[in-house]
């Protein structure tokens, strides 16, 4: 079983990989049969092919910034993230990212809590991070 520190570091690496456009790095975080529900209530994506199709369109147009600590309990981690959207990150969306990990420390499920009605202008501080 992966340690709490390993899970925390994996969760912290996730927004860096998305922002960097590293699709293969993102896929390496996920178990083969992992699921994504982003946002909560949307169609469940399952497996690497679906995960690849989910991330491919947003890479290069969305930056994810860690907005607080990754809090780990058991096999799960929750972390606040700010998504900066658009070519210059003018728009921001606050997200709570919840990951459940398998015994090997790979993501078994990712669930993201957000809604479009919370879209707002990004602050200069967020854009500079």
């Amino acid at each position: 079983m992966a340690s709490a520190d390993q899970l925390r570091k994996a969760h912290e690496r996730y927004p860096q990989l998305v922002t960097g456009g590293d699709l293969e790095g993102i896929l390496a975080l996920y178990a083969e049969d992992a699921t994504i529900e982003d946002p909560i209530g949307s169609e469940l994506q399952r497996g690497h092919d679906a995960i690849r199709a989910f991330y491919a369109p947003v890479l290069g147009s969305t930056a994810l910034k860690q907005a607080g600590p990754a809090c780990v309990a058991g096999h799960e981690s929750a972390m606040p993230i700010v998504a900066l959207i658009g070519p210059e990150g003018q728009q921001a969306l606050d997200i709570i990212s919840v990951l459940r990990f398998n015994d090997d420390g790979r993501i078994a499920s990712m669930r993201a809590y957000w809604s479009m009605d919370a879209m707002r202008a990004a602050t200069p501080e967020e854009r500079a991070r």
Side-chain angles (χ1 to χ4, degrees), residues 76-129:
E76 296 193 36
S77 176
M79 185 172 76
I81 294 174
V82 174
L84 299 176
I85 302 164
E88 296 180 20
Q90 307 95 327
Q91 299 295 309
L93 190 60
D94 297 301
I95 300 168
I96 299 297
S97 170
V98 178
L99 304 179
R100 183 175 45 81
F101 294 88
N102 66 17
D103 288 339
D104 296 329
R106 295 182 71 199
I107 299 169
S109 76
M110 185 274 276
R111 301 179 80 212
Y113 292 79
W114 61 270
S115 62
M116 289 302 287
D117 67 331
M119 185 76 70
R120 59 181 174 74
T123 66
E125 295 81 15
E126 289 168 332
R127 293 175 69 191
R129 290 194 239 170

Side-chain angles (χ1 to χ4, degrees), residues 3-126:
S3 70
D5 190 53
Q6 289 169 313
L7 302 184
R8 188 174 299 106
K9 286 180 180 172
H11 204 157
E12 292 170 348
R13 184 144 169 70
Y14 166 73
Q16 297 168 0
L17 292 168
V18 172
T19 300
D22 185 350
L23 185 54
E24 295 308 314
I26 294 165
L27 288 171
L29 291 176
Y30 283 92
E32 291 291 327
D33 60 345
T35 61
I36 292 178
E37 186 179 4
D38 184 356
I40 296 297
S42 65
E43 183 179 341
L44 195 67
Q45 307 297 313
R46 183 180 305 276
H48 274 202
D49 289 342
I51 292 169
R52 180 183 304 277
F54 174 82
Y55 283 106
V58 301
L59 297 180
S61 64
T62 302
L64 299 183
K65 307 289 183 168
Q66 184 176 342
C71 301
V72 176
H75 283 85
E76 296 193 36
S77 176
M79 185 172 76
I81 294 174
V82 174
L84 299 176
I85 302 164
E88 296 180 20
Q90 307 95 327
Q91 299 295 309
L93 190 60
D94 297 301
I95 300 168
I96 299 297
S97 170
V98 178
L99 304 179
R100 183 175 45 81
F101 294 88
N102 66 17
D103 288 339
D104 296 329
R106 295 182 71 199
I107 299 169
S109 76
M110 185 274 276
R111 301 179 80 212
Y113 292 79
W114 61 270
S115 62
M116 289 302 287
D117 67 331
M119 185 76 70
R120 59 181 174 74
T123 66
E125 295 81 15
E126 289 168 332

